[in-house]
Amino acid sequence: MLLIHLPGWAGLEVYVHSLAGLVMLAALVPISIFADRIQIRHQRLRFRAKEARYRAQRFAEQILRDFEDTGQGWFWETDARGNLTYLSPAICEMFFKPFSEIAGKHINTLFDQGANSRDRERSLAFHLTSKSAFKELGVRAGIMGEVRWWSISGRPVYASTGEFVGFRGSGHDLTEKRRSQEEASRLAHYDSLTDLANRFQMAKTLEDVLNASNEAERDCAVFLLDLDRFKQVNDTMGHPAGDALLQQVSKRLTRVVGDEGLVGRLGGDEFKVVLPGVTDRDHLANLAHRIIESLSQPYSIEGDRVVIGASVGISVAPDDGTTSEALIRNADLALYAAKDGGRGRFHFYASDLHQVAEERREMEQDLRDAIQTGALELHYQPVVALDTQTISGFEALMRWEHPKYGMQSPARFVEIAEDAGLITPMGEWALRTACAQLAKWPESVRVAVNVSPLQFSHAQLPAIVTSALAQSGVAPHRLELEITESVFLRDDFNTDAVFAALKAIGVRLALDDFGTGYSSLGYLKKAPFDKIKIDQSFVRGATQAGSRNGAIIASITSLAKSLGMETTAEGVETLDELELVRSLGCSHVQGYVFNQALPAATVSEQLSHGLTIEAKGFHKWRPERQSMLRKVALEHAGEIYMATIRNMGPGGALVEGLWNVPPGTIFNIALSETEIVKATTIWHCDNRMGVAFAEGRAEGDDDLPGSINADRPVAEEREASSVEPVRKAG
Ligand code: C2E
Ligand code: CA
Ligand code: CA
């Protein structure tokens, strides 16, 4: 028997038993081969399709895995009850759990369940229960200790039978996007330099308060603040220093205002405070006072000590306006009035300020005209050398008779000129006029000309001085320039260079109003002064029994002598004052006791009779009663600080106004003109400190209530500083 198996004819086996069978078989073979080929092709196609499907699946899986792995997004899947059946590994890792621990938990456990997220949670729950698809739903991730935002999308999944089997979806991280959105919104609302609210945010806050639905909630106060002398710091020390200063100012300001209101920066050195619900004027005055006091403490900028001041204008709603425009305009007028009143002050809005502002604008214009038309004049006050009682020179003082308002105080119009940018041409005019006048007077007399700090920082000053001298033919040593301490806001190269240039010309330099600023004796040694002018506030009252002023004058004259400088006592009015300053070692005197400032023609006439001059006037000076009980000067390491005593007892006091004083710091505190006590800081908090007096003061020494328990041991005292406390101009 022959058994032939024909491939392709599955199951068909042909048993050949005979020849006839063989013939039949021969006929069947070609058919079988053909059928076989078709079968193979089908098989191949099926295989290829399967392979393509497999590859596509692999490809899709790869893409999804890349999507997951590269952190672009993640996937999730739940069963019909919302319990997780799949979660991308990256998300599991964020929860520090393998999927096996997360599987079966409700999808909600992935999200923050906090109160703020209720709404989002609700909308997710809505979709899950209503089996509706959702897209880009922002949710906060429920990861402990991390703020992370996700966007999730999902859709319901149905089995082929139509049965709902769960949800499947994806998610991606929104955190960075949100952050940049938040940053953009922060930038829109906050000042990037100081982090304070910006102009826009401040305006909105005020609008919100004024539009409160409850009328009582619309009460508020607005402070507008302006820094005195900021421009000078910015101009002389550079913008980075100015920025650093603004940042420190912002910190102090927010600390003082605390929770009472919102502090904002409007730009430049302008700040604003909105105080919702605060209308009590005493309270506002106290707050404004504390702000000014805090901002007027010295700053350390790039290692330099910088002193500025602040002025505050206040308006109160509803009295001074019920719209933000009215309140701002009125606070601005009040600020103007504060600055006009001498800076370092606050001022409430009052209806007559509109007129004051109008007058000031008018003044500014009239001053421009006066410069143009030559309506300014210089008067000359004699400076007398005490050893010979002869005129050694004159101080040139500017005079302006306003066509409508009469004689104006230079203290006021010089300030208007400084604000209006007119001081430089005015100063130049004064220098040229004084030199031209001096050329007509005896060789032995000098003229002193006041130089504003703004003029001093002007690069042209040495050239102008040289030109004025050359034009008049006056010898440089006959010209004295009077400069105030404020030019020392920073002992930088620029200041030194101007000093050097002026000294090279050969003019004399005098330090004016000595003792009225934050006197740092350090620069006296450094700067090439020929003279110190002792401010008249030290002369005033110096003859009173128990006054410390005499001691202060004596220490200044002895210091000046040791540095080879002359001293002029300013504002000496009476004969007893004259005798006192003479006995205290002043080399020169200037004041009404000899003469006031006179027109050049009168001086020329008097000079024609010689240089000897006679003192005249009252014999004694009578003080007006002054009360400075709570305001005190503190001296530490040669520096003088002003502060307020809030509370005092026999053992110590609560002092406000100095920031972050380290415990153990020893001060000399001038409680009054006659009483100086040594005290040690025992604690501090912001701008307050508790001090313990070295020797207890007798009870009843003061009329301030309360007492401070100074039971901590007093740190060992250092030698008292040789520097006497000096008073800052009030
Ligand atoms: P200052 O430089 O301290 O000038 C001295 C001031 O004291 C003058 O006031 C003078 O008249 C006044 N005075 C002199 N002796 C006595 C006295 O015995 N008793 C009293 N109570 N006062 C006396 P004045 O002329 O009103 O000038 C005020 C300020 O205006 C000056 O203070 C100065 O800072 C500024 N100033 C005046 N002229 C100029 C100027 O040409 N340029 C600049 N930049 N400032 C000027
Ligand atoms: Ca002067
Ligand atoms: Ca002076």
Side-chain angles (χ1 to χ4, degrees):
M1 189 188 77
L2 184 66
L3 178 77
I4 299 173
H5 175 75
L6 294 172
W9 291 77
L12 178 66
E13 279 165 354
V14 181
Y15 296 88
V16 182
H17 292 282
S18 62
L19 191 67
L22 267 175
V23 170
M24 207 175 79
L25 187 66
L28 273 174
V29 164
I31 300 167
S32 129
I33 289 172
F34 178 70
D36 201 25
R37 284 211 182 124
I38 290 174
Q39 177 73 2
I40 288 169
R41 215 154 107 213
H42 274 279
Q43 235 177 2
R44 264 195 208 137
L45 284 175
R46 267 207 304 278
F47 177 73
R48 273 196 206 134
K50 198 172 163 192
E51 199 183 46
R53 264 203 313 279
Y54 175 70
R55 257 195 269 124
Q57 196 180 333
R58 284 285 306 274
F59 186 59
E61 272 174 18
Q62 195 59 49
I63 287 178
L64 294 178
R65 194 155 303 130
D66 281 354
F67 187 72
E68 283 183 325
D69 290 352
T70 54
Q72 296 176 69
W74 45 276
F75 300 103
W76 57 273
E77 189 186 56
T78 69
D79 61 16
R81 285 169 299 162
N83 294 337
L84 288 161
T85 53
Y86 178 80
L87 187 64
S88 290
I91 300 300
C92 298
E93 273 167 29
M94 280 187 189
F95 288 92
F96 300 105
K97 284 177 184 163
F99 178 65
S100 56
E101 280 185 37
I102 294 174
K105 296 234 164 74
H106 195 270
I107 185 165
N108 270 350
T109 55
L110 299 182
F111 311 124
D112 180 36
Q113 315 279 319
N116 306 347
S117 38
R118 289 268 155 73
D119 286 349
R120 292 184 296 271
E121 219 183 274
R122 232 179 269 144
S123 71
L124 179 63
F126 166 79
H127 289 292
L128 293 179
T129 46
S130 65
K131 304 186 181 74
S132 58
F134 54 92
K135 218 174 155 197
E136 310 269 313
L137 193 67
V139 289
R140 197 180 146 169
I143 302 170
M144 284 273 282
E146 196 182 350
V147 179
R148 193 160 277 283
W149 288 91
W150 289 327
S151 161
I152 56 164
S153 305
R155 61 188 178 85
V157 182
Y158 295 91
S160 52
T161 53
E163 181 199 357
F164 169 70
V165 290
F167 262 86
R168 190 181 292 149
S170 62
H172 62 262
D173 205 295
L174 271 189
T175 318
E176 281 318 308
K177 197 169 159 201
R178 279 236 177 195
R179 275 199 192 129
S180 53
Q181 276 169 353
E182 275 167 15
E183 178 65 10
S185 133
R186 203 185 62 75
L187 287 179
H189 293 92
Y190 292 90
D191 170 46
S192 56
L193 176 67
T194 59
D195 263 347
L196 294 179
N198 64 11
R199 183 183 283 275
F200 167 79
Q201 174 75 0
M202 291 308 287
K204 187 175 174 302
T205 305
L206 183 57
E207 285 288 345
D208 289 350
V209 174
L210 295 173
N211 292 329
S213 49
N214 184 346
E215 201 183 325
E217 285 170 12
R218 291 180 214 153
D219 290 357
C220 66
V222 175
F223 281 14
L224 284 185
L225 268 97
D226 196 275
L227 303 182
D228 305 332
R229 295 189 297 276
F230 172 76
K231 191 177 169 327
Q232 217 170 313
V233 175
N234 216 30
D235 290 352
T236 56
M237 294 174 65
H239 290 264
D243 285 355
L245 180 58
L246 289 174
Q247 285 167 338
Q248 292 191 30
V249 164
S250 306
K251 287 211 181 90
R252 292 190 192 180
L253 193 53
T254 26
R255 239 182 315 197
V256 178
V257 174
D259 301 336
E260 287 202 64
L262 181 71
V263 179
R265 176 172 167 244
L266 306 181
D269 61 343
E270 284 176 64
F271 294 84
K272 177 171 160 184
V273 184
V274 173
L275 300 143
V278 191
T279 54
D280 180 74
R281 284 172 190 256
D282 285 344
H283 183 81
L284 290 168
N286 180 281
L287 180 63
H289 175 75
R290 283 189 288 129
I291 287 176
I292 293 167
E293 209 171 46
S294 160
L295 299 189
S296 307
Q297 299 296 324
Y299 297 79
S300 169
I301 305 286
E302 296 169 357
D304 284 320
R305 190 164 159 277
V306 168
V307 182
I308 55 163
S311 307
V312 182
I314 309 170
S315 65
V316 181
D319 294 2
D320 305 337
T322 51
T323 64
S324 62
E325 297 79 51
L327 284 172
I328 298 296
R329 191 185 58 236
N330 292 341
D332 205 31
L333 278 175
L335 174 61
Y336 224 67
K339 291 206 270 185
D340 212 21
R343 289 150 198 262
R345 294 165 193 231
F346 61 87
H347 209 295
F348 281 95
Y349 167 76
S351 55
D352 60 0
L353 289 183
H354 288 281
Q355 197 194 332
V356 173
E358 191 43 52
E359 270 172 26
R360 190 179 163 116
R361 256 192 300 278
E362 192 187 348
M363 276 294 195
E364 197 180 302
Q365 190 46 51
D366 295 345
L367 193 53
R368 281 177 208 276
D369 294 346
I371 298 167
Q372 292 291 316
T373 59
L376 292 177
E377 233 188 298
L378 283 183
H379 282 194
Y380 300 87
Q381 184 177 33
V383 180
V384 178
L386 284 181
D387 53 355
T388 55
Q389 197 144 320
T390 53
I391 294 170
S392 66
F394 297 88
E395 178 176 2
L397 292 159
M398 232 180 254
R399 296 291 177 257
W400 176 32
E401 187 164 357
H402 189 279
K404 195 159 122 199
Y405 305 113
M407 213 59 178
Q408 296 297 304
S409 156
R412 174 142 193 268
F413 71 77
V414 161
E415 197 190 298
I416 294 178
E418 284 175 342
D419 282 351
L422 298 170
I423 194 66
T424 310
M426 276 168 66
E428 180 173 348
W429 168 83
L431 272 168
R432 292 188 188 280
T433 309
C435 286
Q437 188 57 57
L438 185 58
K440 299 176 191 157
W441 289 340
E443 267 298 312
S444 67
V445 301
R446 299 193 284 247
V447 156
V449 179
N450 291 284
V451 174
S452 148
L454 290 176
Q455 213 184 334
F456 190 83
S457 60
H458 206 274
Q460 291 298 307
L461 180 67
I464 291 168
V465 170
T466 310
S467 157
L469 290 169
Q471 242 177 7
S472 57
V474 161
H477 69 88
R478 295 181 66 201
L479 177 63
E480 192 166 78
L481 303 182
E482 293 195 2
I483 296 150
T484 55
E485 289 169 290
S486 52
V487 302
F488 295 104
L489 284 176
R490 176 178 168 172
D491 312 301
D492 63 356
F493 168 73
N494 209 11
T495 315
D496 291 348
V498 177
F499 274 120
L502 293 173
K503 276 325 282 181
I505 296 168
V507 292
R508 286 167 51 97
L509 298 174
L511 180 56
D512 202 359
D513 302 344
F514 185 73
T516 58
Y518 285 89
S519 311
S520 163
L521 297 174
Y523 51 64
L524 270 186
K525 296 192 185 112
K526 215 173 146 200
F529 285 110
D530 301 283
K531 176 183 267 184
I532 298 175
K533 298 193 77 178
I534 302 169
D535 190 67
Q536 51 172 286
S537 56
F538 296 105
V539 176
R540 202 67 58 246
T543 50
Q544 289 301 109
S547 168
R548 297 283 305 169
N549 285 0
I552 295 169
I553 296 173
S555 65
I556 298 173
T557 56
S558 73
L559 181 79
K561 249 180 224 147
S562 70
L563 295 169
M565 299 174 188
E566 296 175 353
T567 38
T568 297
E570 291 190 277
V572 175
E573 292 183 350
T574 58
L575 297 169
D576 60 344
E577 282 175 352
L578 178 63
E579 278 329 299
L580 181 74
V581 298
R582 191 200 298 273
S583 72
L584 294 173
C586 292
S587 61
H588 292 75
V589 156
Q590 184 182 342
Y592 297 165
V593 70
F594 288 112
N595 224 331
Q596 64 196 71
L598 299 165
T602 316
V603 171
S604 296
E605 205 276 322
Q606 286 179 354
L607 281 176
S608 66
H609 302 292
L611 295 175
T612 313
I613 189 165
E614 244 183 73
K616 54 192 182 314
F618 294 110
H619 194 75
K620 265 194 166 51
W621 178 78
R622 290 197 186 287
E624 288 168 46
R625 202 177 134 61
Q626 291 183 351
S627 166
M628 282 190 41
L629 203 62
R630 284 162 185 84
K631 194 90 179 134
V632 291
L634 291 89
E635 182 274 328
H636 170 73
E639 306 282 1
I640 305 299
Y641 305 95
M642 297 308 291
T644 308
I645 296 248
R646 287 258 164 256
N647 202 344
M648 183 157 68
L654 173 62
V655 181
E656 192 183 76
L658 301 187
W659 288 90
N660 300 331
V661 177
T665 308
I666 298 170
F667 289 96
N668 288 314
I669 305 183
L671 292 173
S672 68
E673 295 210 326
T674 52
E675 189 181 14
I676 296 194
V677 293
K678 204 160 282 184
T680 306
T681 307
I682 45 178
W683 60 264
H684 80 82
C685 179
D686 287 338
N687 68 338
R688 290 179 169 219
M689 63 177 176
V691 297
F693 297 136
E695 311 93 2
R697 298 173 64 248
E699 222 153 344
D701 268 359
D702 52 77
D703 59 1
L704 291 167
S707 78
I708 297 291
N709 184 3
D711 50 4
R712 299 254 302 273
V714 173
E716 208 174 307
E717 286 173 31
R718 286 189 293 104
E719 267 298 293
S721 163
S722 59
V723 183
E724 299 284 354
V726 289
R727 245 198 282 164
K728 185 190 141 219

